[in-house]
Amino acid sequence: MKKKVLAAFMSAAMAVGLAACGGSGQAASDSAQSTATAAAETAQTTAADSGKTFKVGVCQLVQHEALDAATQGFIDTLTDHYGDKVTIDNQNAQGDSATCATIVNGFVSNEYDLILANATPALQAAQSATSTIPILGTSITDYGTALGMSDFSGTTGTNISGTSDLAPLDQQEKMILELVPDVKKVGILYCSAEANSAFQAQEIEKYLKEDGVEWEEFTFSDSNDLSSVINNAVSGIDALYIPTDNTAASNMPIIEPVVEAAKLPVVCGEENMCSNGGLATLSISYYDLGVATGKQAIEILDNGADPSSMEIEYASATTKEYNAKYAAAIGVTVPDDYKAIEGTEAQ
């Protein structure tokens, strides 16, 4: 394969040299340039259409709709592009960080060509496992926080790049004020084991402070103590904010009956959490996020793009959405510029 590509470029170079020696003027120069361009295009096409196959590993932290959608968008993009030339090993850690490490170490041992890490603990496990195999993250809120980089500025300078699911947090905070105009105190619920959830909480707190609104954090270590924490949280607050927290997202059936009984407005970090027990969200498409990550993978595998200088990409569009059933259940009228999430329309 490499010999064919090299031969194409050598032929182009010889053509340029012969034209220069022939002294036939502009026509010869133009002909040589056309030959060189055609050779370069042939080389690129040959590389993209080569018989080479790829092995890609996917480590997803836990099963819930948002992460599932991101993984599916990634897989669809690669299979549409490569067909049977790509083998994708898709594994789920079932919410266990130690299992993430086991999964990605297996990918490294088997010399996979690229690793997708879906959610922060998966990315952290991949970072620890290899500094050479290209790693792409998705559903990562803040790469600086996830990777322990105090000087993060858009690229990692390592074998890691990817996409972020961070929606504008200042706009999410404004949604709380818009939906609960007389809000005095906001509860912030998240899993203490998720660094990116703590990052979002701190950002929301900053905006609430600027608007003179009190807040209180309610953190839980895992699903075992979530029930007691959420029952404690609903008294004494006017609204609840839940960031894009994977543990909370997987356990919305525990949260929903408690907050609905308290008639508490809940603003969630993403659509699927909201549809399972929240009032409103500023939503991105996780499937589209996975598609964007898949395109990054193709750039790396086909064209040799370097993850160290590849910019982290963010969702290009956000939508103000609400859970119509929940709004009706707690007696809240949502502004006209919010879109009802499909499947939640009040009957």
Side-chain angles (χ1 to χ4, degrees), residues 87-347:
T87 299
I88 300 175
D89 184 357
N90 181 17
Q91 298 194 41
N92 193 297
Q94 303 301 324
D96 186 9
S97 297
T99 304
C100 287
T102 301
I103 291 170
V104 295
N105 282 325
F107 296 161
V108 174
S109 296
N110 289 308
E111 299 181 345
Y112 281 19
D113 298 292
L114 184 140
I115 296 170
L116 174 73
N118 191 345
T120 297
L123 182 66
Q124 292 169 334
Q127 179 190 31
S128 297
T130 179
S131 60
T132 55
I133 297 175
I135 299 168
L136 291 175
T138 192
S139 312
I140 310 297
T141 303
D142 180 69
Y143 279 78
T145 300
L147 301 175
M149 301 174 63
S150 59
D151 58 347
F152 174 71
S153 59
T155 58
T156 69
T158 70
N159 61 319
I160 299 172
S161 188
T163 57
S164 170
D165 62 355
L166 180 63
L169 294 174
D170 58 337
Q171 294 181 36
Q172 290 188 359
E173 187 264 351
K174 293 300 181 189
M175 290 176 69
I176 299 172
L177 305 185
E178 183 176 48
L179 293 165
V180 192
D182 57 351
V183 63
K184 293 181 176 59
K185 187 175 183 180
V186 174
I188 302 171
L189 178 74
Y190 67 93
C191 178
S192 57
E194 298 197 27
N196 274 317
S197 297
F199 167 80
Q200 293 172 82
Q202 291 164 9
E203 290 296 300
I204 287 290
E205 289 164 8
K206 179 176 69 177
Y207 298 126
L208 289 170
K209 182 178 180 180
E210 290 174 356
D211 287 323
V213 178
E214 293 182 42
W215 71 86
E216 183 176 352
E217 289 190 0
F218 297 91
T219 61
F220 56 96
S221 57
D222 55 36
S223 59
N224 294 321
D225 64 341
L226 175 56
S227 180
S228 61
V229 170
I230 187 59
N231 275 284
N232 180 50
V234 295
S235 60
I237 60 174
D238 304 304
L240 183 68
Y241 174 74
I242 311 176
T244 52
D245 183 283
N246 293 299
T247 310
S250 299
N251 290 279
M252 289 303 291
I254 295 175
I255 298 170
E256 191 275 336
V258 179
V259 293
E260 183 175 319
K263 296 191 178 299
L264 192 67
V266 181
V267 173
C268 299
E270 56 92 10
E271 177 186 275
N272 292 294
M273 295 171 69
C274 185
S275 64
N276 287 300
L279 173 62
T281 184
L282 188 66
S283 180
I284 67 168
S285 167
Y286 276 79
Y287 183 86
D288 290 348
L289 200 68
V291 169
T293 319
K295 290 178 180 178
Q296 289 179 318
I298 291 168
E299 281 298 307
I300 292 168
L301 297 174
D302 274 3
N303 303 321
D306 184 359
S308 69
S309 57
M310 183 179 285
E311 290 277 348
I312 302 300
E313 295 185 20
Y314 294 82
S316 59
T318 57
T319 306
K320 294 168 77 172
E321 296 184 324
Y322 75 105
N323 181 332
K325 289 181 181 178
Y326 191 85
I330 69 171
V332 171
T333 300
V334 176
D336 292 340
D337 59 336
Y338 284 68
K339 175 185 176 183
I341 298 171
E342 186 175 353
T344 72
E345 296 87 350
Q347 301 298 318

